Short mmCIF file of all heavy atoms in Angstrom, two decimals:
data_model
loop_
_atom_site.label_atom_id
_atom_site.label_comp_id
_atom_site.label_asym_id
_atom_site.label_seq_id
_atom_site.Cartn_x
_atom_site.Cartn_y
_atom_site.Cartn_z
N ALA A 90 32.49 0.54 -10.76
CA ALA A 90 32.54 -0.90 -11.05
C ALA A 90 31.69 -1.23 -12.26
O ALA A 90 32.07 -2.05 -13.10
CB ALA A 90 32.05 -1.69 -9.83
N SER A 91 30.54 -0.57 -12.38
CA SER A 91 29.67 -0.82 -13.51
C SER A 91 30.31 -0.38 -14.82
O SER A 91 30.21 -1.06 -15.84
CB SER A 91 28.33 -0.09 -13.30
OG SER A 91 27.45 -0.34 -14.38
N LYS A 92 30.99 0.77 -14.80
CA LYS A 92 31.65 1.25 -16.01
C LYS A 92 32.78 0.30 -16.43
O LYS A 92 32.97 0.04 -17.62
CB LYS A 92 32.21 2.66 -15.76
CG LYS A 92 31.14 3.74 -15.70
CD LYS A 92 31.75 5.10 -15.46
CE LYS A 92 30.67 6.18 -15.44
NZ LYS A 92 31.25 7.53 -15.17
N ARG A 93 33.53 -0.21 -15.44
CA ARG A 93 34.59 -1.17 -15.78
C ARG A 93 34.02 -2.43 -16.41
O ARG A 93 34.56 -2.96 -17.38
CB ARG A 93 35.39 -1.52 -14.52
CG ARG A 93 36.27 -0.41 -14.00
CD ARG A 93 37.28 -0.94 -12.99
NE ARG A 93 36.62 -1.58 -11.86
CZ ARG A 93 36.26 -0.94 -10.75
NH1 ARG A 93 36.45 0.36 -10.64
NH2 ARG A 93 35.68 -1.59 -9.77
N GLU A 94 32.91 -2.92 -15.84
CA GLU A 94 32.29 -4.13 -16.37
C GLU A 94 31.77 -3.91 -17.78
O GLU A 94 31.83 -4.81 -18.62
CB GLU A 94 31.16 -4.57 -15.44
CG GLU A 94 30.36 -5.77 -15.92
CD GLU A 94 31.19 -7.05 -16.00
OE1 GLU A 94 32.26 -7.12 -15.37
OE2 GLU A 94 30.76 -7.98 -16.71
N ALA A 95 31.25 -2.72 -18.06
CA ALA A 95 30.70 -2.42 -19.38
C ALA A 95 31.77 -2.46 -20.46
O ALA A 95 31.48 -2.67 -21.63
CB ALA A 95 30.02 -1.05 -19.38
N LEU A 96 33.03 -2.26 -20.06
CA LEU A 96 34.13 -2.26 -21.02
C LEU A 96 34.81 -3.61 -21.14
O LEU A 96 35.76 -3.78 -21.89
CB LEU A 96 35.18 -1.22 -20.62
CG LEU A 96 34.70 0.24 -20.61
CD1 LEU A 96 35.79 1.14 -20.05
CD2 LEU A 96 34.31 0.68 -22.02
N THR A 97 34.28 -4.61 -20.43
CA THR A 97 34.92 -5.93 -20.37
C THR A 97 34.05 -6.99 -21.01
O THR A 97 32.87 -7.09 -20.73
CB THR A 97 35.19 -6.34 -18.90
OG1 THR A 97 35.99 -5.33 -18.29
CG2 THR A 97 35.93 -7.67 -18.84
N SER A 98 34.62 -7.79 -21.88
CA SER A 98 33.95 -8.96 -22.45
C SER A 98 34.70 -10.21 -22.01
O SER A 98 35.91 -10.32 -22.25
CB SER A 98 33.92 -8.88 -23.97
OG SER A 98 33.09 -7.82 -24.41
N HIS A 99 34.01 -11.11 -21.37
CA HIS A 99 34.63 -12.34 -20.91
C HIS A 99 34.38 -13.46 -21.91
O HIS A 99 33.27 -13.63 -22.39
CB HIS A 99 34.06 -12.74 -19.54
CG HIS A 99 34.18 -11.66 -18.52
ND1 HIS A 99 35.39 -11.26 -17.99
CD2 HIS A 99 33.24 -10.86 -17.94
CE1 HIS A 99 35.20 -10.30 -17.12
NE2 HIS A 99 33.91 -10.03 -17.06
N LYS A 100 35.42 -14.23 -22.19
CA LYS A 100 35.28 -15.30 -23.19
C LYS A 100 34.17 -16.28 -22.81
O LYS A 100 33.42 -16.73 -23.65
CB LYS A 100 36.61 -16.03 -23.35
CG LYS A 100 37.65 -15.27 -24.14
CD LYS A 100 38.79 -16.18 -24.54
CE LYS A 100 39.59 -16.62 -23.34
NZ LYS A 100 40.78 -17.42 -23.74
N GLU A 102 31.48 -15.78 -21.35
CA GLU A 102 30.11 -15.27 -21.50
C GLU A 102 29.57 -15.56 -22.89
O GLU A 102 28.37 -15.49 -23.13
CB GLU A 102 30.09 -13.76 -21.23
CG GLU A 102 30.22 -13.42 -19.74
CD GLU A 102 30.28 -11.93 -19.49
OE1 GLU A 102 30.40 -11.17 -20.48
OE2 GLU A 102 30.23 -11.51 -18.33
N LEU A 104 29.72 -13.87 -25.85
CA LEU A 104 28.97 -12.70 -26.30
C LEU A 104 28.92 -12.68 -27.83
O LEU A 104 29.89 -12.37 -28.48
CB LEU A 104 29.63 -11.43 -25.79
CG LEU A 104 29.61 -11.23 -24.27
CD1 LEU A 104 30.45 -10.03 -23.88
CD2 LEU A 104 28.19 -11.05 -23.78
N LYS A 109 27.20 -4.32 -24.47
CA LYS A 109 27.15 -4.01 -23.04
C LYS A 109 26.41 -2.69 -22.83
O LYS A 109 26.40 -1.81 -23.69
CB LYS A 109 28.56 -3.91 -22.47
CG LYS A 109 29.31 -5.23 -22.43
CD LYS A 109 29.11 -5.91 -21.10
CE LYS A 109 30.04 -7.10 -20.96
NZ LYS A 109 29.92 -7.76 -19.66
N THR A 125 25.53 -3.79 -14.59
CA THR A 125 25.81 -4.05 -16.00
C THR A 125 25.47 -5.48 -16.34
O THR A 125 26.15 -6.40 -15.88
CB THR A 125 27.30 -3.80 -16.31
OG1 THR A 125 27.65 -2.48 -15.91
CG2 THR A 125 27.58 -3.98 -17.79
N PRO A 126 24.43 -5.72 -17.14
CA PRO A 126 24.17 -7.09 -17.61
C PRO A 126 25.17 -7.47 -18.70
O PRO A 126 25.89 -6.61 -19.22
CB PRO A 126 22.75 -6.98 -18.18
CG PRO A 126 22.63 -5.55 -18.60
CD PRO A 126 23.46 -4.75 -17.64
N ASP A 127 25.18 -8.74 -19.05
CA ASP A 127 26.13 -9.19 -20.07
C ASP A 127 25.87 -8.54 -21.43
O ASP A 127 26.80 -8.12 -22.11
CB ASP A 127 26.04 -10.72 -20.24
CG ASP A 127 26.71 -11.44 -19.08
OD1 ASP A 127 27.53 -10.82 -18.39
OD2 ASP A 127 26.39 -12.61 -18.86
#
Side-chain angles (χ1 to χ4, degrees):
S91 181
K92 287 180 178 179
R93 289 195 301 271
E94 176 64 19
L96 297 174
T97 304
S98 293
H99 305 291
K100 284 194 292 185
E102 285 176 351
L104 294 173
K109 292 268 190 178
T125 305
D127 285 340

